[in-house]
Coordinates of all heavy atoms in Angstrom, one line a residue:
M1 N -17.1 -61.8 -14.6 CA -16.5 -60.8 -13.7 C -17.5 -60.4 -12.6 O -17.1 -60.2 -11.5 CB -16.1 -59.6 -14.5 CG -15.4 -58.5 -13.7 SD -14.0 -57.9 -14.6 CE -14.4 -56.3 -15.0
K2 N -18.8 -60.5 -13.0 CA -19.8 -60.1 -12.0 C -19.9 -61.2 -10.9 O -20.0 -60.8 -9.7 CB -21.1 -60.0 -12.7 CG -22.2 -59.3 -11.9 CD -23.4 -59.1 -12.8 CE -24.5 -58.3 -12.1 NZ -25.6 -58.1 -12.9
T3 N -19.8 -62.5 -11.2 CA -19.8 -63.5 -10.2 C -18.6 -63.5 -9.3 O -18.7 -63.7 -8.1 CB -20.0 -64.9 -10.8 OG1 -18.9 -65.1 -11.7 CG2 -21.3 -65.0 -11.6
V4 N -17.4 -63.2 -9.8 CA -16.2 -63.1 -9.0 C -16.4 -61.9 -8.0 O -16.0 -62.0 -6.9 CB -15.0 -62.9 -9.9 CG1 -13.8 -62.6 -9.0 CG2 -14.8 -64.1 -10.8
G5 N -17.0 -60.8 -8.5 CA -17.3 -59.7 -7.6 C -18.2 -60.0 -6.4 O -18.0 -59.6 -5.3
I6 N -19.2 -60.8 -6.8 CA -20.2 -61.2 -5.7 C -19.5 -62.1 -4.7 O -19.7 -62.0 -3.5 CB -21.4 -61.9 -6.3 CG1 -22.2 -60.9 -7.1 CG2 -22.3 -62.6 -5.3 CD1 -23.3 -61.5 -8.0
V7 N -18.6 -63.1 -5.2 CA -17.9 -63.9 -4.3 C -16.9 -63.1 -3.4 O -16.8 -63.4 -2.2 CB -17.1 -65.0 -5.1 CG1 -16.1 -65.7 -4.2 CG2 -18.0 -66.0 -5.8
L8 N -16.3 -62.1 -4.0 CA -15.4 -61.2 -3.2 C -16.2 -60.4 -2.1 O -15.7 -60.2 -1.0 CB -14.6 -60.3 -4.1 CG -13.5 -60.9 -4.8 CD1 -12.9 -59.8 -5.8 CD2 -12.4 -61.4 -3.9
I9 N -17.4 -60.0 -2.5 CA -18.2 -59.3 -1.5 C -18.6 -60.2 -0.3 O -18.5 -59.8 0.9 CB -19.5 -58.7 -2.1 CG1 -19.1 -57.6 -3.1 CG2 -20.5 -58.2 -1.1 CD1 -20.2 -57.1 -3.9
I10 N -18.9 -61.4 -0.6 CA -19.3 -62.4 0.5 C -18.0 -62.7 1.3 O -18.1 -62.8 2.5 CB -19.9 -63.6 -0.1 CG1 -21.3 -63.3 -0.8 CG2 -20.0 -64.8 0.9 CD1 -21.9 -64.4 -1.6
A11 N -16.9 -62.9 0.6 CA -15.6 -63.2 1.4 C -15.3 -62.0 2.2 O -14.8 -62.2 3.4 CB -14.5 -63.5 0.4
G12 N -15.4 -60.8 1.7 CA -15.1 -59.6 2.5 C -16.0 -59.5 3.7 O -15.5 -59.1 4.8
L13 N -17.3 -59.8 3.6 CA -18.2 -59.8 4.7 C -17.8 -60.8 5.8 O -17.8 -60.5 7.0 CB -19.6 -60.1 4.2 CG -20.7 -60.0 5.3 CD1 -20.8 -58.6 5.8 CD2 -22.0 -60.4 4.7
L14 N -17.4 -62.0 5.3 CA -16.9 -63.0 6.3 C -15.6 -62.5 7.0 O -15.4 -62.8 8.2 CB -16.7 -64.3 5.6 CG -18.0 -65.0 5.2 CD1 -17.6 -66.3 4.3 CD2 -18.8 -65.4 6.4
L15 N -14.7 -61.9 6.3 CA -13.5 -61.3 6.9 C -13.8 -60.2 7.9 O -13.1 -60.1 8.8 CB -12.5 -60.8 5.8 CG -11.8 -61.9 5.0 CD1 -11.1 -61.2 3.8 CD2 -10.9 -62.7 5.8
L16 N -14.9 -59.5 7.6 CA -15.3 -58.5 8.6 C -15.8 -59.1 9.9 O -15.6 -58.6 11.0 CB -16.3 -57.5 8.0 CG -15.8 -56.4 7.2 CD1 -17.0 -55.7 6.5 CD2 -15.0 -55.4 8.0
I17 N -16.6 -60.2 9.7 CA -17.2 -60.8 10.9 C -16.2 -61.6 11.7 O -16.2 -61.5 12.9 CB -18.4 -61.7 10.4 CG1 -19.5 -60.9 9.8 CG2 -18.9 -62.6 11.6 CD1 -20.6 -61.7 9.1
F18 N -15.4 -62.4 11.0 CA -14.4 -63.2 11.7 C -13.0 -62.6 11.4 O -12.5 -62.7 10.4 CB -14.4 -64.7 11.1 CG -15.8 -65.3 11.2 CD1 -16.6 -65.5 10.1 CD2 -16.3 -65.8 12.4 CE1 -17.8 -66.1 10.2 CE2 -17.5 -66.3 12.5 CZ -18.3 -66.5 11.4
T19 N -12.5 -62.0 12.5 CA -11.2 -61.2 12.3 C -10.0 -62.1 12.7 O -8.9 -61.5 12.9 CB -11.2 -59.9 13.1 OG1 -11.4 -60.3 14.5 CG2 -12.3 -59.0 12.7
G20 N -10.2 -63.4 12.8 CA -9.0 -64.2 13.0 C -9.4 -65.7 13.2 O -10.6 -66.0 13.4
I21 N -8.5 -66.5 13.1 CA -8.7 -68.0 13.4 C -7.6 -68.5 14.4 O -6.5 -68.0 14.4 CB -8.7 -68.8 12.1 CG1 -7.3 -68.6 11.4 CG2 -9.8 -68.5 11.2 CD1 -7.2 -69.6 10.2
D22 N -8.0 -69.5 15.1 CA -7.1 -70.1 16.1 C -7.0 -71.6 15.7 O -8.1 -72.2 15.4 CB -7.6 -70.0 17.5 CG -7.7 -68.5 18.0 OD1 -6.8 -67.8 17.6 OD2 -8.6 -68.2 18.7
F23 N -5.8 -72.2 15.8 CA -5.7 -73.6 15.5 C -4.5 -74.1 16.3 O -3.7 -73.3 16.8 CB -5.5 -73.9 14.0 CG -4.3 -73.2 13.4 CD1 -3.1 -74.0 13.3 CD2 -4.3 -71.9 13.0 CE1 -2.0 -73.4 12.7 CE2 -3.2 -71.3 12.4 CZ -2.1 -72.1 12.2
S24 N -4.4 -75.4 16.5 CA -3.3 -76.0 17.2 C -2.6 -77.1 16.4 O -3.3 -77.7 15.5 CB -3.8 -76.6 18.5 OG -4.7 -77.6 18.3
T25 N -1.3 -77.2 16.6 CA -0.5 -78.2 15.9 C 0.2 -79.1 17.0 O 0.4 -78.6 18.1 CB 0.5 -77.6 15.0 OG1 1.4 -76.8 15.7 CG2 -0.1 -76.9 13.9
E26 N 0.4 -80.3 16.6 CA 1.1 -81.2 17.5 C 2.5 -81.4 17.0 O 2.7 -81.8 15.8 CB 0.4 -82.5 17.6 CG 0.9 -83.4 18.7 CD 0.0 -84.6 18.9 OE1 -1.2 -84.4 19.4 OE2 0.4 -85.7 18.5
E27 N 3.5 -81.1 17.9 CA 4.9 -81.2 17.5 C 5.6 -82.3 18.3 O 5.4 -82.4 19.5 CB 5.6 -79.9 17.6 CG 5.0 -78.8 16.7 CD 5.8 -77.5 16.9 OE1 6.8 -77.4 17.5 OE2 5.2 -76.5 16.4
S28 N 6.5 -83.0 17.7 CA 7.3 -84.0 18.4 C 8.5 -83.3 19.0 O 9.3 -82.6 18.4 CB 7.8 -85.0 17.4 OG 8.6 -86.0 18.0
I29 N 8.6 -83.5 20.3 CA 9.7 -82.8 21.1 C 11.0 -83.8 21.1 O 12.1 -83.3 20.8 CB 9.3 -82.5 22.5 CG1 8.2 -81.4 22.4 CG2 10.5 -82.0 23.3 CD1 7.6 -81.1 23.8
A30 N 10.7 -85.0 21.5 CA 11.9 -85.9 21.6 C 11.4 -87.4 21.3 O 10.2 -87.7 21.6 CB 12.5 -85.8 23.0
E31 N 12.3 -88.2 20.8 CA 12.0 -89.6 20.6 C 13.1 -90.4 21.2 O 14.3 -90.2 20.9 CB 11.9 -89.9 19.1 CG 10.7 -89.5 18.4 CD 10.6 -90.0 17.0 OE1 10.9 -91.2 16.8 OE2 10.2 -89.2 16.2
V32 N 12.8 -91.3 22.1 CA 13.7 -92.2 22.7 C 13.2 -93.6 22.6 O 12.2 -94.0 23.2 CB 14.0 -91.9 24.2 CG1 14.9 -92.8 24.8 CG2 14.4 -90.4 24.4
G33 N 13.7 -94.4 21.6 CA 13.2 -95.7 21.4 C 11.8 -95.6 20.9 O 11.5 -95.0 19.9
N34 N 10.9 -96.3 21.6 CA 9.5 -96.3 21.2 C 8.7 -95.2 21.9 O 7.6 -95.0 21.6 CB 8.8 -97.7 21.6 CG 9.3 -98.8 20.7 OD1 9.8 -98.6 19.6 ND2 9.2 -100.0 21.2
L35 N 9.4 -94.5 22.8 CA 8.7 -93.4 23.5 C 8.9 -92.1 22.7 O 10.0 -91.7 22.3 CB 9.4 -93.2 24.9 CG 8.8 -92.1 25.8 CD1 7.4 -92.5 26.2 CD2 9.7 -92.0 27.0
E36 N 7.8 -91.4 22.5 CA 7.8 -90.1 21.8 C 7.1 -89.1 22.6 O 6.0 -89.3 23.1 CB 7.1 -90.3 20.5 CG 7.1 -89.0 19.7 CD 6.4 -89.2 18.3 OE1 6.0 -90.3 18.0 OE2 6.4 -88.2 17.6
L37 N 7.7 -87.9 22.9 CA 7.2 -86.8 23.6 C 6.6 -85.8 22.6 O 7.4 -85.4 21.7 CB 8.2 -86.2 24.5 CG 8.7 -87.1 25.6 CD1 9.8 -86.3 26.4 CD2 7.6 -87.4 26.6
T38 N 5.4 -85.4 22.7 CA 4.8 -84.5 21.8 C 4.2 -83.3 22.7 O 3.9 -83.5 23.8 CB 3.7 -85.1 21.0 OG1 2.7 -85.6 21.8 CG2 4.2 -86.2 20.1
A39 N 4.1 -82.2 22.0 CA 3.5 -81.0 22.7 C 2.5 -80.4 21.7 O 2.8 -80.4 20.5 CB 4.5 -80.0 23.1
E40 N 1.4 -79.9 22.2 CA 0.4 -79.2 21.4 C 0.7 -77.7 21.5 O 0.8 -77.1 22.6 CB -1.0 -79.5 21.9 CG -2.0 -79.2 20.9 CD -3.4 -79.8 21.3 OE1 -3.5 -81.0 21.2 OE2 -4.2 -79.0 21.7
E41 N 0.8 -77.1 20.3 CA 1.1 -75.6 20.3 C 0.0 -74.9 19.7 O -0.5 -75.2 18.6 CB 2.4 -75.4 19.5 CG 2.9 -74.0 19.6 CD 4.2 -73.8 18.9 OE1 4.9 -74.8 18.5 OE2 4.6 -72.6 18.6
E42 N -0.5 -73.8 20.3 CA -1.6 -73.0 19.9 C -1.1 -71.9 18.9 O -0.1 -71.3 19.2 CB -2.3 -72.4 21.0 CG -3.0 -73.3 22.0 CD -4.2 -73.9 21.4 OE1 -4.9 -73.3 20.7 OE2 -4.5 -75.1 21.8
H43 N -1.8 -71.7 17.8 CA -1.4 -70.7 16.9 C -2.7 -69.8 16.6 O -3.8 -70.3 16.7 CB -1.0 -71.2 15.5 CG 0.2 -72.2 15.6 ND1 1.5 -71.7 15.7 CD2 0.3 -73.5 15.7 CE1 2.3 -72.8 15.8 NE2 1.6 -73.9 15.8
S44 N -2.4 -68.6 16.3 CA -3.6 -67.7 15.9 C -3.1 -66.8 14.8 O -2.0 -66.4 14.7 CB -4.0 -66.9 17.1 OG -3.0 -65.9 17.5
V45 N -4.1 -66.6 13.8 CA -3.9 -65.7 12.7 C -4.9 -64.7 12.8 O -6.1 -65.0 12.7 CB -4.0 -66.5 11.4 CG1 -3.8 -65.6 10.2 CG2 -3.0 -67.7 11.3
N46 N -4.5 -63.4 12.9 CA -5.5 -62.3 13.0 C -5.2 -61.3 11.8 O -4.1 -61.2 11.3 CB -5.3 -61.6 14.3 CG -5.6 -62.5 15.5 OD1 -6.5 -63.2 15.5 ND2 -4.7 -62.5 16.5
W47 N -6.3 -60.7 11.4 CA -6.2 -59.7 10.4 C -7.1 -58.5 10.8 O -8.0 -58.6 11.6 CB -6.6 -60.2 9.0 CG -7.9 -60.9 9.0 CD1 -9.1 -60.4 8.8 CD2 -8.1 -62.3 9.1 NE1 -10.1 -61.4 8.9 CE2 -9.5 -62.6 9.0 CE3 -7.2 -63.4 9.2 CZ2 -10.0 -63.9 9.1 CZ3 -7.8 -64.7 9.3 CH2 -9.1 -64.9 9.2
S48 N -6.8 -57.4 10.2 CA -7.6 -56.2 10.5 C -8.9 -56.2 9.8 O -9.1 -56.8 8.7 CB -6.8 -55.0 10.0 OG -7.5 -53.8 10.1
P49 N -10.0 -55.6 10.3 CA -11.3 -55.5 9.6 C -11.2 -54.7 8.3 O -12.0 -54.9 7.5 CB -12.2 -54.8 10.7 CG -11.5 -55.0 12.0 CD -10.1 -55.2 11.7
W50 N -10.1 -53.9 8.2 CA -9.9 -53.1 7.0 C -9.7 -54.0 5.8 O -10.0 -53.7 4.7 CB -8.8 -52.1 7.2 CG -9.1 -51.0 8.1 CD1 -8.7 -50.8 9.4 CD2 -10.0 -49.9 7.8 NE1 -9.2 -49.7 9.9 CE2 -10.0 -49.1 9.0 CE3 -10.7 -49.5 6.7 CZ2 -10.8 -48.0 9.0 CZ3 -11.5 -48.4 6.8 CH2 -11.5 -47.6 7.9
V51 N -9.1 -55.2 6.1 CA -8.9 -56.2 5.0 C -10.2 -56.6 4.4 O -10.4 -56.6 3.2 CB -8.1 -57.4 5.5 CG1 -8.0 -58.5 4.4 CG2 -6.7 -57.0 5.9
G52 N -11.2 -56.9 5.3 CA -12.5 -57.3 4.8 C -13.2 -56.2 4.0 O -13.8 -56.4 3.0
A53 N -13.0 -55.0 4.6 CA -13.7 -53.8 3.9 C -13.0 -53.6 2.5 O -13.7 -53.3 1.5 CB -13.5 -52.6 4.7
G54 N -11.7 -53.8 2.4 CA -11.1 -53.6 1.1 C -11.5 -54.7 0.1 O -11.7 -54.4 -1.1
V55 N -11.6 -55.9 0.6 CA -12.1 -57.0 -0.3 C -13.5 -56.7 -0.8 O -13.8 -56.9 -2.0 CB -12.0 -58.4 0.4 CG1 -12.6 -59.4 -0.4 CG2 -10.5 -58.7 0.6
M56 N -14.4 -56.2 0.1 CA -15.7 -55.9 -0.3 C -15.8 -54.8 -1.3 O -16.5 -54.8 -2.3 CB -16.6 -55.5 0.9 CG -16.9 -56.7 1.8 SD -17.9 -56.2 3.2 CE -19.4 -55.6 2.5
I57 N -14.9 -53.8 -1.1 CA -14.9 -52.6 -2.1 C -14.4 -53.1 -3.5 O -15.0 -52.8 -4.5 CB -14.0 -51.5 -1.6 CG1 -14.6 -50.8 -0.4 CG2 -13.6 -50.5 -2.6 CD1 -13.7 -49.9 0.4
I58 N -13.4 -54.0 -3.5 CA -12.9 -54.5 -4.8 C -14.0 -55.3 -5.4 O -14.2 -55.3 -6.6 CB -11.6 -55.3 -4.6 CG1 -10.5 -54.4 -4.2 CG2 -11.3 -56.1 -5.8 CD1 -9.2 -55.1 -3.7
G59 N -14.7 -56.1 -4.6 CA -15.8 -56.9 -5.2 C -16.9 -56.0 -5.7 O -17.5 -56.3 -6.8
G60 N -17.2 -54.9 -5.0 CA -18.2 -54.0 -5.5 C -17.8 -53.3 -6.8 O -18.6 -53.2 -7.7
I61 N -16.6 -53.0 -7.0 CA -16.1 -52.4 -8.2 C -16.2 -53.4 -9.3 O -16.6 -53.1 -10.5 CB -14.6 -52.0 -8.0 CG1 -14.6 -50.7 -7.1 CG2 -14.0 -51.6 -9.4 CD1 -13.2 -50.3 -6.7
M62 N -15.9 -54.7 -9.0 CA -16.0 -55.7 -10.1 C -17.4 -56.0 -10.5 O -17.7 -56.2 -11.7 CB -15.3 -57.0 -9.6 CG -13.8 -56.9 -9.5 SD -13.1 -58.5 -9.0 CE -13.1 -59.3 -10.6
V63 N -18.3 -55.9 -9.6 CA -19.8 -56.1 -9.9 C -20.2 -54.9 -10.8 O -20.9 -55.1 -11.8 CB -20.6 -56.2 -8.6 CG1 -22.1 -56.1 -9.0 CG2 -20.4 -57.6 -8.0
F64 N -19.8 -53.7 -10.4 CA -20.2 -52.5 -11.1 C -19.6 -52.5 -12.5 O -20.3 -52.2 -13.5 CB -19.8 -51.3 -10.4 CG -20.1 -50.0 -11.0 CD1 -21.4 -49.5 -11.1 CD2 -19.1 -49.2 -11.6 CE1 -21.8 -48.4 -11.7 CE2 -19.4 -48.0 -12.3 CZ -20.8 -47.6 -12.3
A65 N -18.4 -52.9 -12.6 CA -17.7 -53.0 -14.0 C -18.3 -54.1 -14.8 O -18.5 -53.9 -16.0 CB -16.2 -53.2 -13.8
G66 N -18.7 -55.2 -14.2 CA -19.3 -56.3 -14.9 C -20.7 -55.9 -15.5 O -21.1 -56.3 -16.5
S67 N -21.5 -55.1 -14.7 CA -22.8 -54.7 -15.1 C -22.7 -53.6 -16.2 O -23.6 -53.6 -17.1 CB -23.6 -54.2 -13.9 OG -23.1 -53.0 -13.4
R68 N -21.7 -52.8 -16.2 CA -21.5 -51.8 -17.2 C -21.0 -52.4 -18.5 O -21.3 -51.8 -19.6 CB -20.5 -50.7 -16.7 CG -21.0 -50.0 -15.5 CD -20.9 -48.6 -15.5 NE -20.6 -47.9 -16.7 CZ -20.6 -46.7 -16.9 NH1 -21.0 -45.9 -15.9 NH2 -20.3 -46.1 -18.0
Q69 N -20.3 -53.5 -18.4 CA -19.8 -54.2 -19.6 C -20.9 -54.8 -20.4 O -20.9 -54.9 -21.6 CB -18.8 -55.2 -19.2 CG -17.6 -55.3 -20.0 CD -16.6 -56.3 -19.4 OE1 -17.0 -57.2 -18.8 NE2 -15.3 -56.0 -19.6
N70 N -22.0 -55.3 -19.8 CA -23.1 -56.0 -20.4 C -24.0 -55.0 -21.2 O -24.9 -55.4 -21.9 CB -23.9 -56.8 -19.4 CG -23.1 -57.9 -18.9 OD1 -22.2 -58.4 -19.5 ND2 -23.5 -58.4 -17.7
R71 N -23.9 -53.7 -21.0 CA -24.8 -52.8 -21.7 C -24.4 -52.5 -23.1 O -23.5 -52.6 -23.6 CB -24.8 -51.5 -20.9 CG -25.5 -51.6 -19.6 CD -25.6 -50.3 -18.9 NE -26.2 -50.5 -17.6 CZ -26.4 -49.5 -16.8 NH1 -26.2 -48.3 -17.1 NH2 -27.0 -49.7 -15.6

């Protein structure tokens, strides 16, 4: 439980630093015989920094609970 908590703390820190990702996909618009028209579409996924803080808090609770369990 302690190692999962540490992983969650690190993941939460990364979510705080990087608040979104951008990526592009290629979509086929039309096909006529051997000719194919494609378009590249940009996408972005954004999240609030509160998500990262929440994940870090949950990880801290798990680390604390794991260390209390070993006593």
